[in-house]
Amino acid sequence: MRRGLPFFIFLAVTTAPAPAQTVDDAGAARIVESLSRYVGRSAFEKRVLDVSVDGDAYRLTVDFDALAAMAPETASLSLDLDPFTVRMKPQADGTFAASGAIAPNGSLSFRTPATELSPSLSSRVEWSLEQSGFTGVFDPELATFSVAQGTYRGLQMVSSDDNQRTDIASGSGTFETTAARSAGGGVDYETLQTMVDVAETVTMRALPDGPQMSFSLTLPKLTAATEAKGFQVWPLLDIAAFAVAHADKAAVAADQAELKRLILAALPFWDRISVGYDASDVTVETSVGRFGIASLEFALAIDGAADDGAVDYGFGFKGLSLPSGLAPAWSAPLVPTDVSLNFGVRNLNSEETIRLLVDAFDLDRQPPIPDAVGQDIMAEFLGDPPVFVMERSLIRNGGIEIAMTGEMPFSLGKPSLTATIEMAGFETAASALQAAAAVDPGAQQAFPFVLAAQGLGRKLENGRLQWVVELNGDGSIVVNGARLKGPDPI
């Protein structure tokens, strides 16, 4: 809702009138014709979308009431949004100067059907942006905005269902986005968003008749950065247009060779997409007290369809503080205050899988994809499987630090894993646990394992202890060359 501009606007002027033309009804009609390729003619006939002349610009309007009226009376979805408009003024260089609100205010209600595991559930989401607006330059050759920026004065959102309610509010927010043609084809995007004075409160019941519980989260500032490299805008728009032009299964089946061509032409869909969130001075109020985090980070990156693709996930925080009395006093040196976890997948051959599926797909056959093709894909997958990896990850409290790396090839059988663990400050941790063992049964039970770990560790030149752990496919376990467990019986 606050993360960008509606996609239909990107499409509306991809074949808009040339800039030298006068802004008139004929130009508006050409925009309607262009947009109909992607959303269908009925959207204009039923006045869901409208393009009109507004002085020296075109005004694009979405009427969500007209859209809601198209839904069947028995539909479990209710949509109530303000009309949404964007003004697009032709420029001398062929681009369009755009302006409008960031997003419409409104609400959405829906009911999920009952299942054997859960009853029917009613949900509702309401949101509003105060004094929101954006300006930008739309480039038809890129089919998106080359630059855009927007602001709002405040955000309110309430999400509720039969069991839970979430209230979110923030002060002002901004976004900035840029796009340019990628050197390898497609479009490169970058977007930066900020929100200040963010507050979230969640109220729920763990059991239908149980007591009500709640917690609240506050963030003085939240930053989100998104980047896409080599995004194949036009090939993906061609697929969207195909879907609109082929509204039923018979139409798709009659022209499925063209659909296959379009899907393969859109590969790899994008080179890499990444998103990251950063927050500082995070506070969480709960029934057991206040938790604090000095800084919090999250990052996710995904390659497009490639023969050696990768996925990366990172999560970390610094300066964790716990409510007083939540943990025993002796555990203070052992509770992590800083954590950085970095996981990923390597050698992900999604391109070959997609090509095999597209080549085998046939709607005139049942099933459309033969079982043998799935078996071939699985054999190919297991012949050169992806590898789950842990990049260097850290857990730290003062002088105690644990660093970890490792990898595990994907397997349908018993897993195999190789991991390297290094620890600084082992003696400090062991001393704290030994002192606690005199008064705490839990620490007393854990202390023998600490002594065993120390005996297995290899001391490095920097004073750290190291453990190289091997979990083999036959079930055996080896630590620093010492076999702790033999192979499992066949």
Side-chain angles (χ1 to χ4, degrees), residues 101-186:
I102 293 178
N105 297 332
S107 65
L108 173 68
S109 301
F110 58 94
R111 173 174 286 275
T112 57
T115 67
E116 294 181 358
L117 300 177
S118 63
S120 176
L121 191 68
S122 295
S123 301
R124 179 176 175 82
V125 182
E126 303 175 47
W127 65 90
S128 64
L129 286 169
E130 300 175 17
Q131 301 182 29
S132 78
F134 85 93
T135 59
V137 176
F138 186 92
D139 188 338
E141 292 188 3
L142 299 177
T144 188
F145 288 83
S146 57
V147 294
Q149 51 279 320
T151 62
Y152 59 85
R153 292 288 300 273
L155 165 70
Q156 301 286 334
M157 179 182 293
V158 178
S159 174
S160 60
D161 58 34
D162 298 335
N163 301 319
Q164 178 175 309
R165 175 186 170 107
T166 302
D167 293 79
I168 299 175
S170 85
S172 61
T174 66
F175 81 86
E176 299 177 359
T177 183
T178 60
R181 189 175 301 280
S182 178

Side-chain angles (χ1 to χ4, degrees), residues 275-471:
V275 57
Y277 292 88
D278 295 285
S280 58
D281 298 325
V282 182
T283 301
V284 183
E285 295 283 359
T286 72
S287 58
V288 297
R290 173 180 294 183
F291 295 80
I293 299 176
S295 64
L296 181 67
E297 297 181 351
F298 162 83
L300 176 66
I302 303 175
D303 284 351
D307 61 2
D308 187 19
V311 176
D312 290 288
Y313 171 83
F315 170 79
F317 60 81
K318 293 181 180 180
L320 173 67
S321 60
L322 303 179
S324 176
L326 183 64
W330 62 262
S331 68
L334 306 178
V335 176
T337 58
D338 302 344
V339 170
S340 176
L341 302 178
N342 301 285
F343 302 96
V345 180
R346 302 289 180 267
N347 195 40
L348 190 60
N349 187 1
S350 54
E351 179 184 9
E352 183 62 24
T353 299
I354 292 173
R355 290 186 179 277
L356 288 171
L357 290 172
V358 170
D359 183 63
F361 182 79
D362 188 349
L363 278 175
D364 294 325
R365 179 180 56 207
Q366 287 299 327
I369 299 176
D371 293 339
V373 174
Q375 295 170 4
D376 291 343
I377 291 174
M378 182 56 69
E380 187 82 19
F381 184 78
L382 295 176
D384 187 20
V387 179
F388 298 98
V389 299
M390 174 181 277
E391 303 288 357
R392 183 172 174 82
S393 297
L394 299 173
I395 299 175
R396 181 185 297 118
N397 181 331
I400 302 174
E401 180 182 273
I402 300 174
M404 300 166 287
T405 60
E407 62 178 43
M408 181 177 70
F410 181 87
S411 173
L412 294 180
K414 294 180 179 178
S416 61
L417 176 147
T418 302
T420 300
I421 304 170
E422 295 182 4
M423 183 172 180
F426 185 93
E427 293 79 6
T428 302
S431 296
L433 199 60
Q434 183 179 21
V439 294
D440 190 289
Q444 191 175 52
Q445 294 174 4
F447 188 65
F449 294 96
V450 172
L451 294 178
Q454 185 177 25
L456 290 170
R458 176 189 299 130
K459 195 158 188 177
L460 304 178
E461 292 182 359
N462 57 12
R464 295 187 172 216
L465 285 181
Q466 181 189 72
W467 299 267
V468 178
V469 181
E470 301 172 55
L471 173 63

Side-chain angles (χ1 to χ4, degrees), residues 223-278:
T223 301
T226 305
E227 184 178 44
K229 294 291 187 182
F231 197 85
Q232 301 298 308
V233 181
W234 282 106
L236 292 172
L237 287 179
D238 289 339
I239 295 175
F242 180 93
V244 171
H246 300 74
D248 54 53
K249 181 179 177 181
V252 175
D255 200 15
Q256 57 187 317
E258 175 63 7
L259 176 59
K260 292 182 178 185
R261 185 192 70 79
L262 292 174
I263 294 175
L264 295 179
L267 290 174
F269 307 132
W270 62 81
D271 294 337
R272 191 165 178 85
I273 291 178
S274 59
V275 57
Y277 292 88
D278 295 285

